[in-house]
Amino acid sequence: MTRPATHILRLLKWGRVLARHGALRIIEEGRNTPLPVRRLCRIARFGTRQPRVPDYARAFQEIGPAAIKLGQTLATRPDIVGEEATRNLLSLQDSLPPLPFELVKRQIEDSFGAPLEVLFASFNPQPIGSASIAQVYRATTNEGATVAVKVLRPGVRERFSRDIETYEWAAAHLEALGGEASRLRPRAVIANLKRWTLRELDLRREAASASELAEAMKGYEGYRVPHIDWDRTNGHVMTVEWIDGIKISNMAALRAAGIDMPRLARRLVLAFLTQAINAGYFHADMHQGNLFVQPDPHDPAGTVVAIDFGIMGRIDRQARQWLAEILYGLTTGNYRRVAEIHFEAQYVPSYHSLEEFATALRAVGEPMRGKPVSELSVGQMLDGLFAITRDFDMQTQPHLLLLQKTMVMVEGLATALDPEINMWDVAAPFVRNWIRDELGPEAFIADRLRTDLDTLLRLPALVRRIEEKYPAKGGAPEQAPLPRVDLIWARKRRSNHWSGYAAAAIGGGVAAWFLALSGLLG
């Protein structure tokens, strides 16, 4: 187990990196920052020169892979880091200089136990992508298929485990200080960060995620996932179909290919809603580098192809129902229903007033209603919701962090494709239809029938468990009720001091008489 002194030294080292980029100031000057954290910040920045304009993204990138993932998580939390830091962190690029090819080649060969020349007909040693966790190469299989090969950076698992252990240690101490630090639940946030990134560090799980998403989106036209080459995939290496397409960030190339940009923007938004609300399983890293468009002569919007499935989000059915009703309530101005859902989900403690919370929600939603489409923003709405969480003692909901982050990403991409898109207008019909299908009378009856049938099917097993707990009686006849006999020592407790002595004498006499009688009979 790592010693506390080691954790403190790591935090001070990272603090100096943050200070050199001016990123420590926001923590030290925060009005809710606990005093011990302020002191640690002063020690960390001692002797450094902080620039006026902080560069949070560069600081996290310099610290390392775990910090990059933490920075991407904090980019969804303007309530913690502020709007300025959020905008800067959204520009955080998960890219690092590539490692020498010899190290990568050794990683591939060791993981498969075979030479690279046996696994692939050709392999380009120049990476086409180099991120903090893995590098990607172009290769050709022995069957002649062009593929993309993703390889984990050697040693990245060990480095991440070391860093995340310090994050956990720091989060536990921060949360123990109570107050605002406790409400923000830093330990739960770090636990979710650890869970997300551990998935990325096992490329078999990423391949499985791609396969599951492809299955969930099978009936959705204009969106697809590359095929997995399972024979050339393991925990350290993932091989997928090569995608020839236009990066969604290349607007000029999309226009030159005749892509209908507004239609493509709507498709992107609806694809996300289909994943998040219909399937409850969504691609949570939908930035510009992970989306391509393949022109289709039969479809003006082309086909969206997603890559990189290391970060995936999952929402259970109850949370999806709440999410759909919240989105629909905000789009239609039904703030009371949105407030009721927050209380039903226990996002807001019950000692607060539902009516007051509904009024606070109205203060967030109404300024956006009736404005030009270019001024409507999911990001602004989330910022407004975060702003009222403190007033109503709302704890951080870690299971929704990925969803919030992805919503902001999707909005940014859709707005870049079509500046006139109205996210609410696109989302409202989809959400309304989903609510009708999932929460309407027919759906209620179907759910009730399914639940009751499941209960009936479990009855035989329940009866068997009851029989095991209370087995049948044996062959001996049941004992008849016996007469009640008051015990001497029981009466002794209820009697006074002298009657106790009398009872003892009588008891002794009876015992002696019984023994004498036994001797005569013997």
Short mmCIF file of all heavy atoms in Angstrom, two decimals, residues 133-181:
data_model
loop_
_atom_site.label_atom_id
_atom_site.label_comp_id
_atom_site.label_asym_id
_atom_site.label_seq_id
_atom_site.Cartn_x
_atom_site.Cartn_y
_atom_site.Cartn_z
N ILE A 133 -3.47 6.58 -24.04
CA ILE A 133 -3.62 5.18 -23.67
C ILE A 133 -3.17 4.23 -24.77
O ILE A 133 -2.61 3.17 -24.49
CB ILE A 133 -5.09 4.90 -23.28
CG1 ILE A 133 -5.36 5.49 -21.88
CG2 ILE A 133 -5.41 3.42 -23.29
CD1 ILE A 133 -6.77 5.30 -21.39
N ALA A 134 -3.38 4.59 -26.02
CA ALA A 134 -3.07 3.67 -27.12
C ALA A 134 -2.64 4.42 -28.37
O ALA A 134 -2.82 5.64 -28.48
CB ALA A 134 -4.30 2.81 -27.43
N GLN A 135 -2.03 3.67 -29.29
CA GLN A 135 -1.67 4.18 -30.61
C GLN A 135 -2.37 3.32 -31.66
O GLN A 135 -2.64 2.14 -31.44
CB GLN A 135 -0.16 4.15 -30.80
CG GLN A 135 0.56 5.07 -29.84
CD GLN A 135 2.08 5.09 -30.02
OE1 GLN A 135 2.76 5.78 -29.27
NE2 GLN A 135 2.63 4.38 -30.98
N VAL A 136 -2.68 3.94 -32.82
CA VAL A 136 -3.44 3.25 -33.87
C VAL A 136 -2.60 3.20 -35.15
O VAL A 136 -1.97 4.19 -35.54
CB VAL A 136 -4.78 3.96 -34.14
CG1 VAL A 136 -5.58 3.19 -35.18
CG2 VAL A 136 -5.59 4.09 -32.84
N TYR A 137 -2.63 2.02 -35.80
CA TYR A 137 -1.85 1.80 -37.02
C TYR A 137 -2.74 1.23 -38.12
O TYR A 137 -3.79 0.65 -37.84
CB TYR A 137 -0.70 0.81 -36.74
CG TYR A 137 0.31 1.32 -35.74
CD1 TYR A 137 0.08 1.19 -34.37
CD2 TYR A 137 1.48 1.92 -36.17
CE1 TYR A 137 1.01 1.66 -33.45
CE2 TYR A 137 2.41 2.39 -35.25
CZ TYR A 137 2.17 2.27 -33.91
OH TYR A 137 3.09 2.75 -33.00
N ARG A 138 -2.28 1.39 -39.35
CA ARG A 138 -2.97 0.79 -40.50
C ARG A 138 -2.22 -0.47 -40.91
O ARG A 138 -0.98 -0.48 -40.98
CB ARG A 138 -3.03 1.78 -41.66
CG ARG A 138 -3.76 1.24 -42.89
CD ARG A 138 -4.01 2.31 -43.90
NE ARG A 138 -4.72 1.81 -45.08
CZ ARG A 138 -5.35 2.58 -45.94
NH1 ARG A 138 -5.37 3.90 -45.76
NH2 ARG A 138 -5.98 2.06 -46.99
N ALA A 139 -2.99 -1.52 -41.19
CA ALA A 139 -2.36 -2.80 -41.56
C ALA A 139 -3.27 -3.54 -42.53
O ALA A 139 -4.41 -3.15 -42.78
CB ALA A 139 -2.12 -3.64 -40.30
N THR A 140 -2.72 -4.63 -43.08
CA THR A 140 -3.48 -5.51 -43.99
C THR A 140 -3.40 -6.92 -43.45
O THR A 140 -2.32 -7.40 -43.08
CB THR A 140 -2.90 -5.46 -45.41
OG1 THR A 140 -2.86 -4.11 -45.87
CG2 THR A 140 -3.76 -6.29 -46.37
N THR A 141 -4.54 -7.60 -43.36
CA THR A 141 -4.56 -8.96 -42.85
C THR A 141 -4.09 -9.95 -43.93
O THR A 141 -3.98 -9.60 -45.11
CB THR A 141 -5.98 -9.35 -42.39
OG1 THR A 141 -6.84 -9.40 -43.53
CG2 THR A 141 -6.51 -8.36 -41.38
N ASN A 142 -3.87 -11.17 -43.52
CA ASN A 142 -3.47 -12.21 -44.47
C ASN A 142 -4.60 -12.54 -45.45
O ASN A 142 -4.35 -13.11 -46.51
CB ASN A 142 -3.07 -13.48 -43.71
CG ASN A 142 -1.85 -13.25 -42.84
OD1 ASN A 142 -0.93 -12.54 -43.24
ND2 ASN A 142 -1.85 -13.83 -41.64
N GLU A 143 -5.81 -12.16 -45.10
CA GLU A 143 -6.95 -12.37 -46.00
C GLU A 143 -7.14 -11.21 -46.96
O GLU A 143 -8.05 -11.22 -47.78
CB GLU A 143 -8.24 -12.57 -45.17
CG GLU A 143 -8.27 -13.83 -44.32
CD GLU A 143 -7.46 -13.68 -43.03
OE1 GLU A 143 -7.22 -12.52 -42.61
OE2 GLU A 143 -7.08 -14.71 -42.46
N GLY A 144 -6.30 -10.17 -46.84
CA GLY A 144 -6.36 -9.04 -47.77
C GLY A 144 -7.23 -7.89 -47.31
O GLY A 144 -7.43 -6.93 -48.06
N ALA A 145 -7.75 -7.91 -46.09
CA ALA A 145 -8.60 -6.82 -45.59
C ALA A 145 -7.75 -5.73 -44.97
O ALA A 145 -6.78 -6.00 -44.27
CB ALA A 145 -9.59 -7.35 -44.56
N THR A 146 -8.11 -4.47 -45.25
CA THR A 146 -7.44 -3.34 -44.62
C THR A 146 -8.08 -3.09 -43.26
O THR A 146 -9.30 -3.01 -43.14
CB THR A 146 -7.56 -2.07 -45.49
OG1 THR A 146 -7.02 -2.36 -46.79
CG2 THR A 146 -6.79 -0.92 -44.88
N VAL A 147 -7.23 -2.97 -42.23
CA VAL A 147 -7.74 -2.85 -40.87
C VAL A 147 -7.00 -1.74 -40.12
O VAL A 147 -5.92 -1.30 -40.51
CB VAL A 147 -7.58 -4.18 -40.09
CG1 VAL A 147 -8.48 -5.26 -40.66
CG2 VAL A 147 -6.11 -4.64 -40.09
N ALA A 148 -7.63 -1.29 -39.03
CA ALA A 148 -7.00 -0.38 -38.08
C ALA A 148 -6.64 -1.19 -36.84
O ALA A 148 -7.47 -1.95 -36.33
CB ALA A 148 -7.93 0.76 -37.71
N VAL A 149 -5.41 -1.05 -36.38
CA VAL A 149 -4.93 -1.83 -35.23
C VAL A 149 -4.62 -0.87 -34.09
O VAL A 149 -3.76 0.01 -34.21
CB VAL A 149 -3.67 -2.64 -35.59
CG1 VAL A 149 -3.25 -3.52 -34.41
CG2 VAL A 149 -3.91 -3.50 -36.83
N LYS A 150 -5.32 -1.04 -33.00
CA LYS A 150 -5.13 -0.21 -31.80
C LYS A 150 -4.31 -0.98 -30.80
O LYS A 150 -4.64 -2.12 -30.44
CB LYS A 150 -6.49 0.17 -31.21
CG LYS A 150 -6.43 1.14 -30.05
CD LYS A 150 -7.84 1.57 -29.63
CE LYS A 150 -7.80 2.63 -28.56
NZ LYS A 150 -9.19 3.08 -28.21
N VAL A 151 -3.22 -0.37 -30.30
CA VAL A 151 -2.29 -1.05 -29.40
C VAL A 151 -2.11 -0.21 -28.14
O VAL A 151 -1.82 0.99 -28.22
CB VAL A 151 -0.92 -1.27 -30.09
CG1 VAL A 151 -0.02 -2.12 -29.20
CG2 VAL A 151 -1.08 -1.89 -31.46
N LEU A 152 -2.29 -0.84 -26.98
CA LEU A 152 -2.06 -0.13 -25.72
C LEU A 152 -0.60 0.28 -25.60
O LEU A 152 0.31 -0.47 -25.96
CB LEU A 152 -2.41 -1.03 -24.53
CG LEU A 152 -3.87 -1.21 -24.13
CD1 LEU A 152 -3.94 -2.01 -22.83
CD2 LEU A 152 -4.58 0.12 -23.94
N ARG A 153 -0.37 1.47 -25.04
CA ARG A 153 1.00 1.89 -24.76
C ARG A 153 1.58 0.99 -23.65
O ARG A 153 0.93 0.78 -22.63
CB ARG A 153 1.02 3.34 -24.27
CG ARG A 153 0.87 4.38 -25.37
CD ARG A 153 0.78 5.77 -24.79
NE ARG A 153 0.86 6.78 -25.84
CZ ARG A 153 1.95 7.46 -26.16
NH1 ARG A 153 3.07 7.25 -25.50
NH2 ARG A 153 1.93 8.35 -27.13
N PRO A 154 2.77 0.46 -23.84
CA PRO A 154 3.38 -0.37 -22.79
C PRO A 154 3.51 0.42 -21.49
O PRO A 154 3.93 1.57 -21.47
CB PRO A 154 4.76 -0.71 -23.37
CG PRO A 154 4.59 -0.59 -24.86
CD PRO A 154 3.60 0.52 -25.06
N GLY A 155 3.10 -0.21 -20.38
CA GLY A 155 3.23 0.41 -19.06
C GLY A 155 2.11 1.35 -18.68
O GLY A 155 2.09 1.86 -17.55
N VAL A 156 1.14 1.58 -19.57
CA VAL A 156 0.10 2.57 -19.27
C VAL A 156 -0.81 2.08 -18.15
O VAL A 156 -1.30 2.89 -17.34
CB VAL A 156 -0.70 2.92 -20.54
CG1 VAL A 156 -1.58 1.75 -20.99
CG2 VAL A 156 -1.57 4.16 -20.30
N ARG A 157 -1.06 0.78 -18.07
CA ARG A 157 -1.93 0.26 -17.01
C ARG A 157 -1.31 0.52 -15.64
O ARG A 157 -1.99 0.94 -14.70
CB ARG A 157 -2.17 -1.23 -17.20
CG ARG A 157 -3.07 -1.59 -18.38
CD ARG A 157 -3.22 -3.08 -18.50
NE ARG A 157 -4.17 -3.44 -19.55
CZ ARG A 157 -4.41 -4.68 -19.95
NH1 ARG A 157 -3.77 -5.69 -19.37
NH2 ARG A 157 -5.29 -4.92 -20.91
N GLU A 158 -0.01 0.25 -15.52
CA GLU A 158 0.67 0.43 -14.24
C GLU A 158 0.69 1.91 -13.84
O GLU A 158 0.45 2.25 -12.67
CB GLU A 158 2.10 -0.11 -14.33
CG GLU A 158 2.20 -1.61 -14.51
CD GLU A 158 1.86 -2.08 -15.92
OE1 GLU A 158 1.80 -1.23 -16.84
OE2 GLU A 158 1.66 -3.30 -16.12
N ARG A 159 0.94 2.78 -14.81
CA ARG A 159 0.99 4.21 -14.49
C ARG A 159 -0.39 4.73 -14.09
O ARG A 159 -0.51 5.51 -13.14
CB ARG A 159 1.51 4.99 -15.70
CG ARG A 159 1.66 6.48 -15.41
CD ARG A 159 2.28 7.25 -16.55
NE ARG A 159 2.39 8.66 -16.21
CZ ARG A 159 2.82 9.60 -17.05
NH1 ARG A 159 3.20 9.26 -18.28
NH2 ARG A 159 2.88 10.87 -16.67
N PHE A 160 -1.40 4.28 -14.79
CA PHE A 160 -2.74 4.72 -14.44
C PHE A 160 -3.12 4.25 -13.04
O PHE A 160 -3.68 5.00 -12.25
CB PHE A 160 -3.75 4.20 -15.46
CG PHE A 160 -5.17 4.57 -15.11
CD1 PHE A 160 -5.68 5.82 -15.41
CD2 PHE A 160 -5.99 3.66 -14.46
CE1 PHE A 160 -6.97 6.15 -15.06
CE2 PHE A 160 -7.28 3.99 -14.11
CZ PHE A 160 -7.78 5.24 -14.42
N SER A 161 -2.84 2.99 -12.72
CA SER A 161 -3.17 2.44 -11.40
C SER A 161 -2.48 3.23 -10.30
O SER A 161 -3.08 3.51 -9.25
CB SER A 161 -2.76 0.97 -11.32
OG SER A 161 -3.48 0.20 -12.26
N ARG A 162 -1.23 3.61 -10.54
CA ARG A 162 -0.49 4.37 -9.54
C ARG A 162 -1.12 5.75 -9.32
O ARG A 162 -1.34 6.19 -8.19
CB ARG A 162 0.96 4.55 -10.02
CG ARG A 162 1.87 5.28 -9.05
CD ARG A 162 3.11 5.76 -9.76
NE ARG A 162 2.77 6.83 -10.71
CZ ARG A 162 3.62 7.32 -11.62
NH1 ARG A 162 4.82 6.78 -11.75
NH2 ARG A 162 3.26 8.30 -12.42
N ASP A 163 -1.44 6.42 -10.42
CA ASP A 163 -2.00 7.78 -10.31
C ASP A 163 -3.41 7.75 -9.70
O ASP A 163 -3.74 8.60 -8.86
CB ASP A 163 -2.04 8.45 -11.68
CG ASP A 163 -0.65 8.81 -12.19
OD1 ASP A 163 0.32 8.61 -11.43
OD2 ASP A 163 -0.53 9.28 -13.34
N ILE A 164 -4.23 6.80 -10.13
CA ILE A 164 -5.62 6.77 -9.64
C ILE A 164 -5.65 6.45 -8.15
O ILE A 164 -6.57 6.88 -7.43
CB ILE A 164 -6.46 5.76 -10.45
CG1 ILE A 164 -7.95 6.16 -10.40
CG2 ILE A 164 -6.29 4.35 -9.94
CD1 ILE A 164 -8.29 7.40 -11.14
N GLU A 165 -4.66 5.71 -7.66
CA GLU A 165 -4.61 5.43 -6.22
C GLU A 165 -4.43 6.72 -5.42
O GLU A 165 -5.06 6.90 -4.37
CB GLU A 165 -3.45 4.46 -5.93
CG GLU A 165 -3.42 3.97 -4.49
CD GLU A 165 -2.25 3.03 -4.23
OE1 GLU A 165 -1.56 2.66 -5.20
OE2 GLU A 165 -2.03 2.68 -3.05
N THR A 166 -3.62 7.63 -5.95
CA THR A 166 -3.45 8.93 -5.28
C THR A 166 -4.71 9.77 -5.40
O THR A 166 -5.09 10.48 -4.47
CB THR A 166 -2.24 9.67 -5.88
OG1 THR A 166 -1.06 8.90 -5.63
CG2 THR A 166 -2.08 11.05 -5.26
N TYR A 167 -5.38 9.72 -6.55
CA TYR A 167 -6.66 10.45 -6.69
C TYR A 167 -7.66 9.96 -5.65
O TYR A 167 -8.37 10.76 -5.03
CB TYR A 167 -7.26 10.22 -8.09
CG TYR A 167 -6.49 10.84 -9.23
CD1 TYR A 167 -6.83 10.56 -10.55
CD2 TYR A 167 -5.42 11.68 -9.01
CE1 TYR A 167 -6.13 11.12 -11.62
CE2 TYR A 167 -4.71 12.24 -10.06
CZ TYR A 167 -5.07 11.95 -11.37
OH TYR A 167 -4.39 12.51 -12.42
N GLU A 168 -7.74 8.64 -5.46
CA GLU A 168 -8.67 8.07 -4.48
C GLU A 168 -8.32 8.54 -3.07
O GLU A 168 -9.21 8.87 -2.27
CB GLU A 168 -8.65 6.54 -4.56
CG GLU A 168 -9.27 5.98 -5.84
CD GLU A 168 -9.08 4.48 -5.97
OE1 GLU A 168 -8.01 3.97 -5.55
OE2 GLU A 168 -9.97 3.81 -6.51
N TRP A 169 -7.03 8.54 -2.76
CA TRP A 169 -6.57 8.98 -1.44
C TRP A 169 -6.93 10.44 -1.20
O TRP A 169 -7.46 10.81 -0.14
CB TRP A 169 -5.06 8.77 -1.34
CG TRP A 169 -4.46 9.09 -0.01
CD1 TRP A 169 -4.33 8.25 1.06
CD2 TRP A 169 -3.90 10.35 0.40
NE1 TRP A 169 -3.74 8.90 2.10
CE2 TRP A 169 -3.45 10.18 1.74
CE3 TRP A 169 -3.74 11.58 -0.23
CZ2 TRP A 169 -2.85 11.22 2.44
CZ3 TRP A 169 -3.15 12.62 0.48
CH2 TRP A 169 -2.71 12.44 1.79
N ALA A 170 -6.66 11.28 -2.20
CA ALA A 170 -6.95 12.72 -2.07
C ALA A 170 -8.46 12.96 -1.98
O ALA A 170 -8.92 13.79 -1.17
CB ALA A 170 -6.37 13.48 -3.26
N ALA A 171 -9.26 12.23 -2.80
CA ALA A 171 -10.72 12.41 -2.79
C ALA A 171 -11.31 12.01 -1.44
O ALA A 171 -12.22 12.67 -0.93
CB ALA A 171 -11.35 11.59 -3.91
N ALA A 172 -10.79 10.94 -0.84
CA ALA A 172 -11.29 10.50 0.46
C ALA A 172 -11.04 11.55 1.53
O ALA A 172 -11.91 11.84 2.37
CB ALA A 172 -10.65 9.17 0.86
N HIS A 173 -9.83 12.15 1.52
CA HIS A 173 -9.52 13.18 2.51
C HIS A 173 -10.31 14.46 2.26
O HIS A 173 -10.74 15.12 3.21
CB HIS A 173 -8.02 13.46 2.50
CG HIS A 173 -7.21 12.38 3.14
ND1 HIS A 173 -6.92 11.19 2.51
CD2 HIS A 173 -6.65 12.29 4.38
CE1 HIS A 173 -6.20 10.43 3.32
NE2 HIS A 173 -6.03 11.07 4.46
N LEU A 174 -10.52 14.77 0.99
CA LEU A 174 -11.30 15.97 0.66
C LEU A 174 -12.75 15.82 1.11
O LEU A 174 -13.33 16.73 1.72
CB LEU A 174 -11.23 16.22 -0.85
CG LEU A 174 -11.94 17.47 -1.37
CD1 LEU A 174 -11.33 18.74 -0.78
CD2 LEU A 174 -11.86 17.54 -2.90
N GLU A 175 -13.34 14.66 0.84
CA GLU A 175 -14.73 14.43 1.22
C GLU A 175 -14.90 14.42 2.73
O GLU A 175 -15.95 14.84 3.25
CB GLU A 175 -15.22 13.12 0.60
CG GLU A 175 -16.72 12.93 0.67
CD GLU A 175 -17.22 11.85 -0.28
OE1 GLU A 175 -16.81 11.87 -1.47
OE2 GLU A 175 -18.01 11.01 0.17
N ALA A 176 -13.88 13.96 3.44
CA ALA A 176 -13.96 13.90 4.90
C ALA A 176 -13.99 15.29 5.54
O ALA A 176 -14.38 15.42 6.70
CB ALA A 176 -12.77 13.11 5.45
N LEU A 177 -13.60 16.31 4.78
CA LEU A 177 -13.64 17.68 5.32
C LEU A 177 -15.07 18.18 5.44
O LEU A 177 -15.32 19.19 6.11
CB LEU A 177 -12.83 18.62 4.41
CG LEU A 177 -11.33 18.33 4.33
CD1 LEU A 177 -10.66 19.23 3.30
CD2 LEU A 177 -10.68 18.52 5.71
N GLY A 178 -16.03 17.51 4.76
CA GLY A 178 -17.44 17.87 4.88
C GLY A 178 -17.80 19.10 4.06
O GLY A 178 -17.03 19.58 3.23
N GLY A 179 -18.99 19.61 4.31
CA GLY A 179 -19.46 20.82 3.62
C GLY A 179 -19.60 20.62 2.13
O GLY A 179 -20.09 19.59 1.65
N GLU A 180 -19.17 21.62 1.36
CA GLU A 180 -19.31 21.59 -0.09
C GLU A 180 -18.54 20.42 -0.70
O GLU A 180 -18.99 19.80 -1.65
CB GLU A 180 -18.79 22.91 -0.67
CG GLU A 180 -18.95 23.05 -2.17
CD GLU A 180 -20.38 23.22 -2.62
OE1 GLU A 180 -21.29 23.29 -1.75
OE2 GLU A 180 -20.62 23.28 -3.82
N ALA A 181 -17.39 20.11 -0.13
CA ALA A 181 -16.59 18.99 -0.64
C ALA A 181 -17.34 17.68 -0.52
O ALA A 181 -17.26 16.82 -1.41
CB ALA A 181 -15.26 18.90 0.12
#
